[in-house]
Amino acid sequence: ATDARYITNDLRVKNRDALEAQVQAVFAMLTYAQAVARLTSAQTAYGAINSVQDLIKHPQLRTKPMQVNGQTALIPANPYVTEWDDEAFAATPDLEKP
């Protein structure tokens, strides 16, 4: 915060490579939980990149069933429900065999 190279946004942009190197060096020393705690404490917006397994377990993921090849698969659905939504997605069409 006191480094003259980063006092203004224009200077941060001009010195972006050096600034990014410093930020990366700090984050490289932190666990994921520590990084989240620091960003949250500083009220800094961030986005997490989750694994597929993290997405599947996410409490806000809404799914609907869909018939796929005779089996039921849970497919991600819109995060909101409307009055015209069906309880399930239409079945996938059968693929014609050559």
Side-chain angles (χ1 to χ4, degrees):
T2 60
D3 191 317
R5 295 174 295 172
Y6 314 128
I7 291 175
T8 67
N9 190 55
D10 186 51
L11 288 170
R12 286 189 292 275
V13 171
K14 286 181 182 176
N15 296 294
R16 184 176 186 148
D17 290 341
L19 179 58
E20 285 186 1
Q22 286 183 322
V23 171
Q24 288 176 9
V26 171
F27 275 89
M29 296 184 302
L30 303 175
T31 66
Y32 176 79
Q34 290 169 328
V36 167
R38 281 196 184 185
L39 292 167
T40 302
S41 175
Q43 297 182 351
T44 302
Y46 67 93
I49 299 174
N50 297 318
S51 69
V52 172
Q53 201 62 358
D54 291 335
L55 173 63
I56 291 169
K57 292 178 182 177
H58 198 282
Q60 293 183 349
L61 175 65
R62 193 172 81 81
T63 60
K64 290 194 324 188
M66 173 186 261
Q67 290 299 310
V68 180
N69 295 330
Q71 297 182 353
T72 301
L74 292 176
I75 307 297
N78 286 331
Y80 51 86
V81 180
T82 63
E83 63 215 31
W84 55 85
D85 278 341
D86 292 328
E87 290 187 22
F89 288 116
T92 57
D94 289 334
L95 296 176
E96 293 184 23
K97 295 184 180 182

